[in-house]
Amino acid sequence: MVDVQSVLEGNRLALSRLLSQIENDTLEGRQALAALFPHTGRAKLIGVTGAPGTGKSSLVNQIAYHLRNPEEGEPKKVAVVAVDPSSPFTGGAVLGDRIRMSSLSGDKGVFIRSMASRGSLGGLAWATAGIVQAFDAAGYDVVLIETVGAGQAEVEIARLAHTTLVVEAPGLGDDIQAIKAGILEIADILVVNKADRPGVENTERALKTMLQLANSTNRSDDQLVWETPIQCTVATDGQGVGELIEQISNHQAFLEKTGGLTERVRTRLAAELDLRLREGLITKWKERSADGLYEEMLDQLVDRKISPQEAVDQMVNGGNGK
Ligand SMILES: Nc1nc2c(ncn2[C@@H]2O[C@H](COP(=O)(O)OP(=O)(O)OP(=O)(O)O)[C@@H](O)[C@H]2O)c(=O)[nH]1
Ligand SMILES: [Mg+2]
């Protein structure tokens, strides 16, 4: 049984158990998340994505360290979710991540969870959403979500975040193949990491050009447009990380001022509501319809006797007899 009260009180063992339940999508995990939901919505969610090896984990480590040891104000409680959908190739990297995070080990104000992909990528996106909610309810002020930016699932996961950092590095980006339009679109802040390496200026210039192109086509009359900043960092020694954190605060202030935060949260929750509604309706339909009807429809589709749309019309609007 998941001890919801202990999770709310910040008990790490209870939280850790809950995270496993969520990852395995158990009934218990779902029930606990439902009980915790009223206590969510407080954490700041920061997505960190980008091509493999650009330094995302090192950067997350640095950001977490800065938030734990601020120059002024109270240290923040920080949670990290590292999502690794390409685990067959980088199975070792997850462990590597943990080691790289070691400057934070032993710090009770930090909780790190690595997730490898199992089952569908879509499932991974929803499991990540659940894990983020659990951290939120457990009182973590900031949740950093690291994904390797490549496919749809990563973009879905990035959509969870209030502020998304897209991390680039010199060398990879000279012809900017690493940046697809989709990934640029989700960037609230572009980070050029490994700024100690040659070619930083080229990468920065190329990104600037791409941003200008994107902005000139997306120009709205709205004065309240967020101009995506480009921040150079060296994640191995922390250069530029203080400035990056400032940019993150600027973005969050911008979202609050313009109502964008509410809008993002609403869009995200609508996506979750749609997904669960679909799931619920399909289950209900199967319960109520005649045995074998679903398979029968599927057979007709396979034989090309009926189109998927026609099948759904029949299944929803009649023909199932109940
Ligand atoms: N020179 C230099 N090396 C860096 C910098 N940041 C990270 N690295 C190195 O780059 C390598 C990859 O760093 P990670 O932080 O694991 O990169 P990642 O993007 O998380 O990698 P994946 O999760 O495997 O995609 C490591 O050897 C880091 O030490 C930097 O600013 N400068
Ligand atoms: Mg990593």
Side-chain angles (χ1 to χ4, degrees):
M1 191 57 203
V2 175
D3 184 352
V4 169
Q5 194 52 41
S6 296
V7 172
L8 285 172
E9 285 162 9
N11 181 306
R12 291 174 74 96
L13 185 62
L15 176 59
S16 177
R17 286 201 182 121
L18 170 62
L19 298 181
S20 303
Q21 300 282 355
I22 296 170
E23 242 191 303
N24 297 322
D25 194 24
T26 63
L27 179 63
E28 234 180 88
R30 284 184 177 214
Q31 284 167 344
L33 274 181
L36 290 171
F37 191 73
H39 303 276
T40 61
R42 282 184 290 220
K44 295 199 181 344
L45 314 182
I46 302 169
V48 181
T49 190
T54 47
K56 299 175 295 295
S57 296
S58 312
L59 202 59
V60 162
N61 187 21
Q62 285 285 348
I63 295 171
Y65 186 80
H66 272 70
L67 294 171
R68 292 300 299 152
N69 303 278
E71 276 169 21
E72 51 190 61
E74 289 289 302
K76 302 270 192 287
K77 275 183 83 183
V78 184
V80 177
V81 194
V83 186
D84 186 7
S86 50
S87 51
F89 303 108
T90 54
V94 175
L95 191 62
D97 284 346
R98 293 217 183 101
I99 295 164
R100 260 177 245 130
M101 302 268 188
S102 60
S103 68
L104 298 166
S105 71
D107 183 341
K108 291 277 175 248
V110 177
F111 200 115
I112 297 160
R113 183 79 178 192
S114 292
M115 287 174 70
S117 120
R118 265 175 299 165
S120 71
L121 285 178
L124 185 66
W126 291 110
T128 308
I131 299 248
V132 169
Q133 279 174 6
F135 281 134
D136 191 349
Y140 287 85
D141 303 300
V142 176
V143 184
L144 293 155
I145 310 158
E146 179 192 339
T147 55
V148 180
Q152 190 56 36
E154 294 80 351
V155 173
E156 286 301 320
I157 293 168
R159 274 194 220 289
L160 275 173
H162 303 137
T163 301
T164 298
L165 317 183
V166 173
V167 185
E168 286 296 324
L172 288 167
D174 287 351
D175 50 353
I176 312 279
Q177 280 179 343
I179 315 166
K180 302 194 187 97
I183 217 78
L184 200 66
E185 246 169 54
I186 62 167
D188 298 307
I189 299 169
L190 279 168
V191 181
V192 181
N193 188 43
K194 306 198 184 181
D196 54 330
R197 291 266 184 88
V200 205
E201 296 80 10
N202 287 346
T203 308
E204 226 185 319
R205 202 175 315 116
L207 286 172
K208 256 187 202 137
T209 311
M210 290 197 64
L211 279 178
Q212 279 161 1
L213 273 173
N215 283 344
S216 61
T217 51
N218 293 338
R219 259 283 159 255
S220 71
D221 297 334
D222 192 351
Q223 288 305 296
L224 297 169
V225 180
W226 172 253
E227 302 258 354
T228 309
I230 301 173
Q231 178 66 49
C232 292
T233 56
V234 181
T236 37
D237 69 8
Q239 257 183 75
V241 176
E243 289 88 338
L244 178 59
I245 287 174
E246 231 175 276
Q247 303 273 22
I248 296 170
S249 304
N250 290 345
H251 181 251
Q252 310 228 333
F254 171 85
L255 284 182
E256 271 162 32
K257 192 178 77 194
T258 57
L261 193 63
T262 321
E263 201 182 309
R264 277 185 191 214
V265 169
R266 207 178 163 83
T267 308
R268 233 272 311 147
L269 288 175
E272 182 159 359
L273 188 60
D274 279 1
L275 177 103
R276 302 211 183 276
L277 185 60
R278 206 170 300 142
E279 243 182 42
L281 287 173
I282 291 175
T283 308
K284 198 160 208 155
W285 183 90
K286 284 185 176 169
E287 277 167 14
R288 291 189 178 179
S289 66
D291 280 354
L293 181 59
Y294 184 89
E295 289 301 318
E296 205 178 287
M297 283 294 173
L298 199 52
D299 288 343
Q300 290 194 39
L301 287 183
V302 173
D303 294 340
R304 312 279 147 174
K305 285 186 183 151
I306 190 172
S307 78
Q309 184 58 57
E310 285 166 338
V312 170
D313 286 345
Q314 278 190 35
M315 288 156 93
V316 176
N317 297 327
N320 67 28
K322 288 190 190 172

